[in-house]
C-alpha cells in the first residue's frame, strides 16, 4: 500500500464551508481533515492523502513515471539555470518539449520512450509554473516569495 497526496487550490469561502460542516458534526474547533496551507490572500491549498493499493505491474509503471519525471525535471532545471544565468529569463515549455523529442531518441535514454509523452511534458509545465512563482515573488505579484526551483532527489 502507498499513500498518495493530492493538493488543489480552494477559495476562502469553500474553506469556511468545510470548517462549518465539521462544526455541525459535533466538533466546534474541528479543522477540515485535510492538510491546509495558505497560499495567497483569499486562497488556500488543500491536500488530501489517499491510500492506494497498486498491483506489482501498476507499481512498476508508477515508479517508472515518477523516475522519468524526476530525471526530466533535473535535466530541464539544469538547462533553465544555464539559460537564466546567461539571459536572465527561463526557457519556455515549448522549447523544452521540442528538445524532449531529441532526448527520447538518444541511445542511452531509450527508457524515456516507455513513458507517455503527456506525462513527461507535464513535468515541463510544473517547472514553468515554479519559475513563474519565482519571478512573481521577485516582482511582488505574489505575497510569498518562493526561491528558485530546486533539483529533485529520490
Amino acid at each position: 500500500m502507498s499513500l498518495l497526496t493530492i493538493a488543489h487550490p480552494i477559495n476562502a469561502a469553500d474553506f469556511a464551508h468545510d470548517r462549518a460542516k465539521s462544526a455541525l458534526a459535533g466538533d466546534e474547533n474541528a479543522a477540515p481533515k485535510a492538510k491546509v496551507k495558505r497560499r495567497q490572500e483569499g486562497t488556500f491549498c488543500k491536500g488530501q492523502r489517499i491510500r492506494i493499493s497498486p498491483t506489482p505491474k501498476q507499481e512498476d509503471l508508477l515508479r517508472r513515471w515518477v523516475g522519468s519525471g524526476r530525471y526530466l525535471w533535473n535535466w530541464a532545471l539544469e538547462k533553465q539555470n544555464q539559460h537564466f544565468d546567461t539571459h536572465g529569463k527561463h526557457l519556455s515549455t515549448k522549447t523544452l518539449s521540442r528538445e524532449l523529442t531529441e532526448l527520447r531518441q538518444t541511445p542511452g535514454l531509450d527508457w524515456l520512450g516507455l513513458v507517455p509523452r503527456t506525462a513527461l511534458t507535464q513535468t515541463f509545465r510544473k517547472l514553468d509554473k515554479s519559475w513563474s512563482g519565482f519571478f512573481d515573488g521577485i516582482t511582488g505579484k505574489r505575497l510569498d516569495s518562493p526561491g528558485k526551483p530546486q533539483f529533485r532527489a529520490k
Side-chain angles (χ1 to χ4, degrees):
M1 277 196 222
S2 302
L3 284 177
L4 178 68
T5 303
I6 301 171
H8 55 90
I10 59 171
N11 64 29
D14 291 340
F15 178 71
H17 180 273
D18 286 350
R19 197 168 178 87
K21 203 161 73 172
S22 296
L24 286 176
D27 192 2
E28 295 88 26
N29 294 326
K33 293 191 188 271
K35 184 177 180 183
V36 177
K37 184 170 109 177
R38 190 170 193 81
R39 288 174 72 179
Q40 293 179 340
E41 192 62 35
T43 62
F44 296 86
C45 187
K46 180 178 179 179
Q48 297 177 340
R49 298 186 102 183
I50 300 169
R51 187 173 304 274
I52 59 173
S53 301
T55 64
K57 186 176 179 182
Q58 291 170 334
E59 191 171 338
D60 183 47
L61 283 173
L62 288 172
R63 287 183 193 282
R64 189 175 297 158
W65 286 16
V66 169
S68 298
R70 182 175 46 249
Y71 176 82
L72 274 183
W73 175 279
N74 291 336
W75 174 81
L77 185 57
E78 179 65 32
K79 291 188 90 50
Q80 295 274 23
N81 284 338
Q82 290 171 355
H83 194 264
F84 180 74
D85 290 341
T86 56
H87 298 95
K89 52 185 173 180
H90 70 286
L91 294 169
S92 69
T93 303
K94 279 186 177 181
T95 305
L96 292 172
S97 292
R98 275 189 237 120
E99 293 185 27
L100 175 61
T101 304
E102 298 170 12
L103 188 67
R104 289 178 81 182
Q105 296 169 355
T106 305
L109 301 173
D110 299 336
W111 49 270
L112 281 175
L114 302 174
V115 179
R117 186 177 176 83
T118 53
L120 300 176
T121 54
Q122 183 64 33
T123 302
F124 297 147
R125 287 189 210 104
K126 289 179 183 177
L127 183 60
D128 189 49
K129 190 173 181 178
S130 182
W131 275 102
S132 296
F134 168 66
F135 288 122
D136 287 349
I138 290 175
T139 59
K141 291 181 185 177
R142 224 177 127 135
L143 294 177
D144 57 343
S145 55
K148 282 172 65 171
Q150 301 293 312
F151 288 99
R152 292 190 175 168
K154 190 171 185 178

